[in-house]
């Protein structure tokens, strides 16, 4: 893995307006991402973990500009893509793809597999028209789908097969960067392993860079090179995968890791149970966003927001007490 | 997930809908009735008219019911058929009266072997006028709904897809239009324009798109959030491609149901307009126009009430039954009944 940056995100923000009342006035904002900075290196897998509703998916979709950011900057391969218009963006789309969580809603039910997988080829003119069918067959065999799937509709496939088709569709345009938005959460455990191994094999074969979003820590540990932990629209900790799992610094990360079940009944683990629910992203807590649930919070946490700072060369954390 | 969960056979969505639809026998009968009506409308000149379907005259074959020939300009085919040469022949339609053929000697005659459905106040054959009126009624029904679909899908589609200010403006337009009493609006417009068939089609279509637009907007709004639409955008698909290839085919089913009801509504509006004298201009035949004559003669000309009235009633009912049948067939929640 190189040390060259493919994606750099600086102070990225996405606020969704909340409209209420007469004439649907904007009365408030859901701060789904609130000042996220991170970088993704060429050829690596950056894992992104956090509980549901913390803004993981929004962050993934905003980085590839499926969602327009409210503020901040996205740099892809040295180009600032934050303010590209939709036409300029369309040309860049083939560089970055996304695999969705739910394979049941991510394939158009009225299209045949050939047209679903071939669409990107048609849009970007990647292969001549007459070669599209051959290319689609090749892509299907790459992801392990038999070529008689060509003329079938999505509803004739299982969840795992559909996810393979969705992966083939994303690969068709030969992207460099793929956002995997919880690609295995909707699948059976036995199928999860197959899809993850497929993603790893494809990464090696096509030199892909992944942003892998998940709430499943075991999956994250298996697939990632580095891991970012997200809480309420912010990154709280970012470290190399083994460093993070062996030496978590942020109290939230510690609590998160303690929730992973260990398949050994003789091991007695101390589970850290956080009190309360994740606060509303409409009005996040003052100071450190985690202070309302933090077991070690002090007065300072209530007033002052900690910055994400590096404590060693490969480990960044945003906590006053580390 | 509702879109992806239908368990169909190999051929996709529509064959599944058709299989469900077939279970509703009444709707199937209604659909057959509509198909017969469409046949009548297409082949009206072969079913009723004064020109022979096939004519052999002076050794040559002619089809005067379908084509116009210069050599038969202003020819009375009844006379011609009686004076044919050896070897020549004429095959007339089963109803040998044209819808505009006057017979002032048999004005308002009740149904008889000569005139199966009687005659109107100018001695024209009612059955012939009804057969040709089918064409008028159905084409007004289909064309005006076609116009309404075009406007409705366009307006509803861009409102639902773009949202925001575009949606706000379009939604207000059709909310205002929905509050209009459409029938009186149509009457007012037709009072200023001459009531040709085309004007009626345009007016009914241009006032009937709001319901469809509302439906399409809702579907687009819902489907825009589906991952497969996001995937199409992520692949670099333009707005037009995403709307036409990905959203529209999935939004069409409820729209077609609404369109079926719309055809029934348009036929009813046309009949009402003709009944009030604002409909298709004479001498064009129309069911509503026949019915309006009965206003004046209802005490004894019962055939002018019964036959056109039944035609309107049955046609409108048939379209409503078919619409109902398709709606039930497409709605997965009702499927288990």
């Amino acid at each position: 893995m190189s040390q060259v940056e493919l994606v750099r995100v600086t102070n990225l923000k996405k606020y969704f307006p909340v409209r209420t009342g007469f004439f649907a006035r904007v009365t408030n904002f859901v701060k789904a991402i609130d000042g996220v900075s991170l970088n993704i290196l060429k050829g690596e897998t950056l894992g992104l973990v956090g509980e549901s509703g913390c803004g993981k998916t929004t962050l993934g979709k905003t980085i590839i500009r499926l969602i327009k950011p409210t503020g901040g900057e996205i740099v892809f391969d040295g180009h600032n893509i934050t303010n590209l218009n939709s036409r300029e963006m369309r040309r860049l789309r083939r560089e970055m793809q996304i695999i969705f969580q739910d394979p049941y809603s991510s394939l158009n039910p009225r299209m045949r597999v050939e047209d679903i997988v071939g669409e990107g080829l048609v849009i970007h003119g990647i292969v001549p028209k007459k070669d599209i069918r051959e290319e689609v067959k090749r892509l299907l065999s790459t992801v392990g789908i038999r070529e008689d799937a060509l003329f079938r509709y999505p509803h004739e496939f299982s969840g795992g097969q559909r996810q393979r088709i969705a992966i083939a569709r994303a690969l068709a345009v030969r992207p460099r960067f793929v956002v995997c938005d919880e690609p295995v959460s909707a699948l059976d455990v036995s199928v999860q392993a197959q899809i993850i191994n497929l993603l790893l094999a494809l990464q090696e074969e096509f030199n892909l860079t992944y942003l892998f979003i998940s709430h499943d820590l075991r999956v994250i540990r298996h697939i990632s090179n580095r891991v970012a932990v997200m809480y309420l629209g912010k990154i709280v900790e970012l470290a190399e995968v083994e460093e993070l799992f062996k030496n978590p610094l942020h109290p939230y990360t510690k609590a998160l890791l303690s929730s992973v079940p260990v398949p050994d009944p003789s091991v007695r683990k101390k589970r850290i149970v956080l009190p309360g629910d994740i606060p509303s992203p409409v009005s996040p807590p003052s100071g450190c966003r985690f202070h309302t649930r933090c077991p070690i919070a002090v007065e300072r946490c209530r007033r002052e927001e900690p910055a994400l700072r590096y404590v060693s060369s490969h480990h960044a954390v945003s906590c006053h007490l580390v | 997930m509702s879109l992806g969960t239908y368990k169909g056979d190999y051929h996709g969505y529509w064959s599944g809908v058709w299989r469900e639809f077939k279970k509703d026998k009444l709707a199937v009968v209604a659909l057959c009735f509509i198909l017969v009506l469409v046949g009548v409308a297409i082949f009206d000149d072969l079913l009723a008219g004064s020109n022979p379907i096939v004519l052999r005259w002076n050794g040559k074959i002619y089809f005067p019911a379908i084509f116009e020939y210069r050599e038969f300009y202003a020819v009375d085919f009844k006379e011609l058929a009686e004076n044919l040469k050896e070897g020549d022949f004429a095959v007339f339609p089963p109803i040998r009266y044209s819808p505009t053929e006057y017979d002032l000697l048999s004005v308002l005659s009740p149904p008889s072997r000569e005139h199966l459905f009687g005659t109107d106040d100018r001695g024209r054959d009612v059955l012939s006028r009804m057969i040709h009126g089918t064409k008028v009624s159905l084409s007004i029904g289909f064309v005006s709904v076609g116009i309404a679909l075009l406007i409705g899908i366009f307006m509803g589609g861009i409102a639902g897809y773009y949202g925001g200010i575009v949606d706000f403006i379009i939604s207000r337009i059709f909310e205002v239009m929905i509050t209009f009493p459409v029938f009186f609006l149509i009457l007012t417009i037709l009072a200023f324009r001459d009531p040709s068939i085309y004007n009626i089609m345009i007016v009914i279509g241009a006032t009937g798109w709001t319901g469809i637009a509302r439906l399409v907007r809702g579907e687009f709004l819902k489907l825009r959030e589906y991952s497969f639409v996001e995937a199409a955008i992520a692949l670099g698909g333009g707005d037009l491609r995403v709307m036409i290839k990905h959203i529209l085919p999935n939004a069409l089913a409820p729209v077609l149901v609404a369109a079926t009801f719309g055809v029934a509504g348009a036929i009813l509006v046309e009949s009402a307009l003709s009944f009030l004298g604002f409909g298709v201009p004479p001498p064009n035949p129309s069911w509503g126009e026949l019915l309006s004559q009965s206003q004046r003669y209802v005490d004894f000309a019962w055939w002018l009430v019964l036959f056109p009235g039944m035609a309107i009633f049955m046609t409108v009912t048939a379209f409503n039954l078919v619409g109902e049948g398709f709606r039930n067939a497409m709605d997965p929640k009702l499927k288990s009944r």
Side-chain angles (χ1 to χ4, degrees):
Chain A
M1 197 182 62
S2 66
Q3 288 297 311
V4 184
E5 252 177 29
L6 185 63
V7 179
R8 163 164 282 284
V9 168
T10 316
N11 199 22
L12 195 67
K13 287 179 180 158
K14 178 63 200 180
Y15 296 173
F16 291 105
V18 180
R19 293 170 194 276
T20 44
F22 197 57
F23 284 126
R25 264 173 317 194
V26 178
T27 50
N28 231 324
F29 291 97
V30 172
K31 292 165 180 155
I33 328 172
D34 201 6
V36 164
S37 302
L38 52 80
N39 60 345
I40 304 172
L41 305 177
K42 260 182 195 151
E44 80 162 341
T45 299
L46 178 68
L48 184 60
V49 275
E51 51 198 305
S52 44
C54 72
K56 310 185 293 282
T57 297
T58 309
L59 178 59
K61 286 181 181 172
T62 309
I63 288 176
I64 60 167
R65 284 284 315 271
L66 271 182
I67 296 174
K68 209 172 159 42
T70 311
E73 196 179 72
I74 310 159
V75 176
F76 182 82
D77 199 25
H79 304 285
N80 186 342
I81 63 164
T82 322
N83 295 310
L84 292 186
N85 65 32
S86 60
R87 179 183 296 178
E88 292 165 328
M89 204 51 228
R90 279 216 297 277
R91 234 172 301 139
L92 249 165
R93 292 264 180 231
R94 60 174 293 191
E95 307 270 337
M96 45 182 98
Q97 282 298 307
I98 179 164
I99 297 163
F100 293 94
Q101 173 176 10
D102 179 8
Y104 289 90
S105 70
S106 70
L107 304 178
N108 186 339
R110 303 289 161 80
M111 276 167 87
R112 297 174 312 164
V113 169
E114 180 183 23
D115 300 319
I116 291 173
V117 176
E119 181 159 35
L121 302 173
V122 175
I123 291 172
H124 295 283
I126 288 168
V127 295
K129 250 201 174 93
K130 59 175 174 43
D131 298 339
I132 284 177
R133 178 164 295 172
E134 276 312 306
E135 177 72 5
V136 171
K137 280 185 193 166
R138 200 184 60 76
L139 286 159
L140 287 178
S141 81
T142 314
V143 298
I145 294 282
R146 281 166 44 192
E147 66 172 54
D148 63 2
L150 229 49
F151 306 111
R152 302 228 210 148
Y153 288 87
H155 71 262
E156 298 167 47
F157 297 92
S158 69
Q161 287 174 313
R162 282 162 170 250
Q163 202 58 293
R164 287 171 190 268
I165 293 167
I167 292 170
R169 169 179 63 192
L171 287 183
V173 294
R174 300 168 192 174
R176 288 193 285 166
F177 176 55
V178 179
V179 174
C180 305
D181 182 11
E182 309 216 24
V184 296
S185 326
L187 305 176
D188 291 345
V189 178
S190 58
V191 183
Q192 287 189 357
Q194 294 171 12
I195 297 293
I196 286 179
N197 290 334
L198 174 66
L199 286 171
L200 284 170
L202 294 171
Q203 178 168 43
E204 193 149 312
E205 189 175 346
F206 300 107
N207 194 24
L208 298 170
T209 304
Y210 287 149
L211 173 64
F212 195 95
I213 301 168
S214 182
H215 57 250
D216 187 332
L217 289 156
R218 287 164 308 162
V219 171
I220 287 283
R221 188 173 194 171
H222 183 63
I223 200 168
S224 310
N225 301 107
R226 289 189 305 146
V227 179
V229 181
M230 206 166 168
Y231 182 78
L232 213 58
K234 278 192 173 295
I235 304 286
V236 294
E237 189 161 4
L238 177 65
E240 305 227 309
V241 61
E242 284 315 310
E243 164 76 9
L244 186 97
F245 277 84
K246 296 216 175 86
N247 180 27
L249 293 176
H250 197 280
Y252 178 65
T253 315
K254 285 178 183 164
L256 210 58
L257 293 184
S258 80
S259 72
V260 180
V262 181
D264 180 354
S266 65
V267 175
R268 287 269 164 252
K269 257 189 18 170
K270 202 176 143 247
R271 262 210 74 184
I272 306 166
V273 179
L274 294 177
D277 273 331
I278 187 163
S280 160
V282 175
S283 48
S286 62
C288 173
R289 296 181 171 214
F290 188 56
H291 83 254
T292 54
R293 301 168 77 193
C294 184
I296 57 166
V298 295
E299 180 56 29
R300 187 183 172 201
C301 304
R302 225 181 305 278
R303 285 177 283 110
E304 204 179 312
E305 191 167 357
L308 189 68
R309 63 194 164 82
Y310 278 86
V311 290
S312 72
S313 62
H314 298 302
H315 200 148
V317 62
S318 84
C319 181
H320 294 307
L321 303 169
V322 177
Chain B
M1 224 202 266
S2 64
L3 266 168
T5 48
Y6 55 78
K7 296 275 178 282
D9 60 341
Y10 208 81
H11 306 287
Y13 180 74
W14 288 107
S15 65
V17 169
W18 177 240
R19 208 177 42 226
E20 285 297 315
F21 180 81
K22 277 193 296 192
K23 290 180 188 162
D24 187 350
K25 294 295 171 232
L26 199 58
V28 173
V29 171
L31 185 65
C32 293
F33 179 72
I34 290 171
L35 290 178
V36 169
L37 279 183
V38 170
V40 168
I42 292 171
F43 299 112
D44 58 347
D45 284 329
L46 305 183
L47 289 169
S50 51
N51 293 5
I53 303 169
V54 188
L55 172 71
R56 190 183 152 108
W57 188 63
N58 288 344
K60 272 178 82 179
I61 300 283
Y62 297 91
F63 301 96
I66 307 167
F67 305 110
E68 283 189 39
Y69 296 97
R70 202 178 303 160
E71 45 272 60
F72 297 130
Y73 182 72
V75 160
D76 183 348
F77 282 102
K78 275 186 192 121
E79 251 177 62
L80 189 99
E82 276 158 28
N83 305 313
L84 283 176
K85 288 188 198 129
E86 184 69 25
D88 287 354
F89 61 86
V91 180
F92 278 93
I95 320 298
R96 289 182 57 162
Y97 304 96
S98 104
T100 49
E101 194 177 317
Y102 288 52
D103 182 1
L104 296 175
L105 294 177
S106 57
V107 165
L108 288 173
S109 62
S112 61
R113 280 190 56 188
E114 195 69 8
H115 297 284
L116 290 176
F117 282 10
T119 61
D120 69 359
D121 59 356
R122 286 178 181 80
R124 296 173 296 201
D125 185 71
V126 170
L127 182 54
S128 174
R129 284 186 76 70
M130 280 179 57
I131 287 171
H132 287 263
T134 308
K135 188 179 225 157
V136 173
S137 290
L138 286 192
S139 48
I140 285 179
F142 283 121
V143 174
S144 55
V145 166
I147 294 170
L149 277 178
L150 283 181
I151 307 175
I153 289 176
F154 179 77
M155 299 288 259
I158 58 173
Y161 185 79
Y162 290 108
I165 187 76
V166 181
D167 181 28
F168 183 83
I169 292 169
I170 292 176
S171 293
R172 293 303 91 81
I173 292 175
F174 59 68
E175 273 164 23
V176 168
M177 288 212 42
I178 282 169
T179 63
F180 286 160
V182 171
F183 191 74
F184 294 97
L185 180 70
I186 294 172
L187 275 182
T188 314
I189 295 170
L190 287 178
F192 290 103
R193 318 240 355 122
D194 56 305
S196 74
I197 294 182
Y198 304 105
N199 277 338
I200 290 174
M201 288 171 178
I202 292 168
V203 167
I204 296 179
T207 51
W209 59 270
T210 49
I212 288 166
R214 208 144 67 149
L215 210 60
V216 172
R217 172 181 172 271
E219 288 292 313
F220 270 57
L221 223 48
K222 181 184 85 186
L223 289 162
R224 196 180 55 167
E225 302 299 323
Y226 273 68
S227 310
F228 69 81
V229 173
E230 270 189 311
I233 295 169
L235 279 175
D239 290 347
L240 212 59
R241 177 183 202 94
V242 173
M243 280 196 263
I244 291 174
K245 285 201 78 165
H246 293 273
I247 302 184
L248 191 57
N250 289 291
L252 225 46
V255 175
L256 289 183
V257 172
T260 316
F261 290 121
V263 173
I267 289 173
L268 214 52
V269 169
E270 184 277 324
S271 300
L273 286 174
S274 296
F275 184 77
L276 294 175
F278 285 91
V280 292
N284 286 312
S286 140
W287 296 343
E289 180 263 342
L290 284 168
L291 207 55
S292 82
Q293 289 187 17
S294 68
Q295 252 185 130
R296 282 164 274 164
Y297 311 106
V298 73
D299 47 341
F300 60 97
W302 56 268
W303 55 94
L304 286 177
V305 185
L306 183 68
F307 298 121
M310 283 300 284
I312 295 168
F313 171 73
M314 287 173 67
T315 307
V316 170
T317 308
F319 274 104
N320 283 334
L321 285 173
V322 169
E324 192 76 25
F326 273 119
R327 182 162 64 190
N328 292 342
M330 284 165 184
D331 193 340
K333 278 174 240 134
L334 293 171
K335 252 180 194 173
S336 52
R337 283 184 316 170

